[in-house]
Amino acid sequence: MRAYDGAVIPKAELHLHIEGTLEPELAFALAARNGIELPFADTEALRRAYLFEDLQSFLDLYYGLMAVLRTEADFAELADAYLTRAAAQGVRHAEIFFDPQAHVSRGVGIGAVIEGLGRALDLSEQRHGISTRLIMCFLRDESAESALQTLEAAKPYLHRITGVGLDSAEVGHPPAKFREVYEAAAELGLRRVAHAGEEGPPAYISEALDVLGVERIDHGLRCMEDPELVERLVRDRIPLTLCPLSNVRLRAVDLLEDHPLPGMMAAGLLCTVNSDDPAYFGGYVGDTFHAVHEALGLGPERLRELARNSFLASFLEDDEARRARYLAEVEAYEFED
Ligand code: HPA
Ligand code: ZN
């Protein structure tokens, strides 16, 4: 079956962990190059392990597979492979998360990570027609002290970093734990986002807004349990970077057909859809647009709204002319059907 043409509408991807784009083929190639033995016989055996119970069972595999990423060249290759795939799915702008602590803890220097990603990002417009930003995430199941050390270590590279985020195991690690590092990031002029309300309660969403001063909520799915919070998110136009395929694979929702996205849009929330960790969750962002069209019946105008929202929610304040160009591309896009 031909993919629905709405899948390739021009769009921004705002919730994408670069380590989550590590496809099994690249993982094995990097393992061979770096002399690392993976605990899987081949790519098929690895793919068979992609059956997750919850966020933690995914994170265990996600962090384990990162062992193959060792050099600046590895990070450059990872990012370029993602950008190649993203371009084929209509992505025009990508705001990319990375997890420095998951690499530094394995003895990989933060400079190799950031310069490697930066090398691919520097060529992205020319090679792929995609503008990019980098967002450095802190692992919320690590200490607040470790997050502060990470921000300190990143200081020589801040010209490459647009903002900070918060990811990894959510429950039991409320946003307020990271108040100090978010204050320090704000003082450095960094934008702020955080995962909240993926597995954690709606109160974590409010806390991320109130205590960390975030401008966007990553996931935010569970806001729907708190009508007052929904009202606030609508009123203040707080973007949510939803990831429907991730929610199915990590069992936040049973079936894609059950995903609350249509109700969230109808409630007036500023929703975007994104791929999260596409190598693990069954699709890149164009595939996600296709899937929500099929499973949730979102038609052309709803998909156009999602694409428009992605640019409205993106950190393009330093290049409003570009944002306007992208938005014009969204409005001019013609669905075939
Ligand atoms: N949630 C939290 N942390 C993550 C995720 C996610 O979906 N993907 C990669 N790190
Ligand atoms: Zn995520």
Side-chain angles (χ1 to χ4, degrees):
M1 191 189 68
R2 195 174 64 89
Y4 177 58
D5 71 308
V8 297
I9 188 170
K11 61 178 81 63
E13 170 129 84
L14 305 179
H15 187 153
L16 179 280
H17 302 265
I18 199 65
E19 297 90 345
T21 70
L22 179 58
E23 292 284 346
E25 290 72 19
L26 182 57
F28 273 88
L30 294 178
R33 190 157 94 194
N34 292 326
I36 289 160
E37 184 121 19
L38 286 173
F40 300 95
D42 53 28
T43 55
E44 279 317 302
L46 174 51
R47 277 205 168 82
R48 282 197 295 275
Y50 292 180
L51 286 174
F52 308 114
E53 301 286 316
D54 55 15
L55 176 57
Q56 189 61 55
S57 64
F58 155 70
L59 291 171
D60 292 343
L61 183 61
Y62 168 81
Y63 293 127
L65 209 57
M66 285 182 202
V68 304
L69 296 164
R70 303 241 33 118
T71 67
E72 192 174 307
D74 297 342
F75 285 92
E77 201 169 326
L78 178 70
D80 193 63
Y82 161 68
L83 292 163
T84 302
R85 288 190 154 89
Q89 302 215 349
V91 174
R92 305 284 285 110
H93 177 76
E95 302 193 350
I96 298 175
F97 295 142
F98 70 108
D99 287 331
Q101 288 154 294
H103 310 301
V104 170
S105 63
R106 303 181 289 106
V108 178
I110 196 167
V113 179
I114 299 176
E115 292 298 355
L117 297 174
R119 203 199 291 175
L121 269 42
D122 284 347
L123 295 172
S124 175
E125 283 222 68
Q126 180 196 331
R127 272 197 193 159
H128 307 291
I130 300 178
S131 50
T132 59
R133 299 286 186 274
L134 263 185
I135 298 177
M136 180 171 81
C137 287
F138 304 116
L139 302 183
R140 66 201 308 152
D141 44 357
E142 298 289 330
S143 66
E145 180 59 32
S146 172
L148 281 163
Q149 285 165 3
T150 303
L151 184 63
E152 192 59 37
K155 281 191 176 160
Y157 309 99
L158 288 185
H159 58 288
R160 290 208 175 272
I161 297 174
T162 296
V164 295
L166 190 61
D167 64 3
S168 200
E170 184 181 6
V171 175
H173 302 283
K177 177 177 164 186
F178 297 95
R179 175 200 300 264
E180 203 179 337
V181 75
Y182 270 68
E183 279 172 5
E187 273 169 31
L188 291 167
L190 294 165
R191 313 293 295 263
R192 290 165 286 171
V193 299
H195 285 51
E198 179 187 19
E199 287 189 344
Y204 283 16
I205 299 174
S206 315
E207 197 174 299
L209 294 166
D210 295 335
V211 180
L212 304 184
V214 303
E215 300 173 75
R216 291 196 304 241
I217 296 288
D218 296 312
H219 291 296
L221 189 68
R222 290 190 59 192
C223 75
M224 295 307 276
E225 296 167 28
D226 180 347
E228 279 181 29
L229 175 59
V230 170
E231 212 174 288
R232 174 187 185 180
L233 296 171
V234 170
R235 185 189 64 231
D236 295 344
R237 304 269 296 153
I238 305 292
L240 305 179
T241 64
L242 297 164
C243 305
L245 298 182
S246 166
N247 298 149
V248 175
R249 292 298 183 104
L250 301 186
R251 312 270 190 101
V253 300
D254 287 334
L255 297 170
L256 190 54
E257 285 76 3
D258 302 329
H259 198 281
L261 174 63
M264 296 176 86
M265 295 180 79
L269 288 162
L270 206 165
C271 297
T272 67
V273 300
N274 306 271
S275 66
D276 209 5
D277 300 282
Y280 294 90
F281 299 153
Y284 287 75
V285 68
D287 304 315
T288 307
F289 270 61
H290 178 69
V292 299
H293 166 71
E294 292 274 302
L296 297 170
L298 296 184
E301 289 319 309
R302 281 306 201 197
L303 296 186
R304 195 187 307 279
E305 180 181 341
L306 289 169
R308 185 187 300 126
N309 287 349
S310 71
F311 293 116
L312 293 175
S314 62
F315 290 151
L316 278 167
E317 280 77 5
D318 56 356
D319 195 351
E320 289 293 352
R322 180 186 295 276
R323 190 197 320 262
R325 257 193 337 270
Y326 289 152
L327 284 166
E329 281 184 40
V330 171
E331 301 313 326
Y333 184 77
E334 290 186 25
F335 292 83
E336 276 167 27
D337 66 19

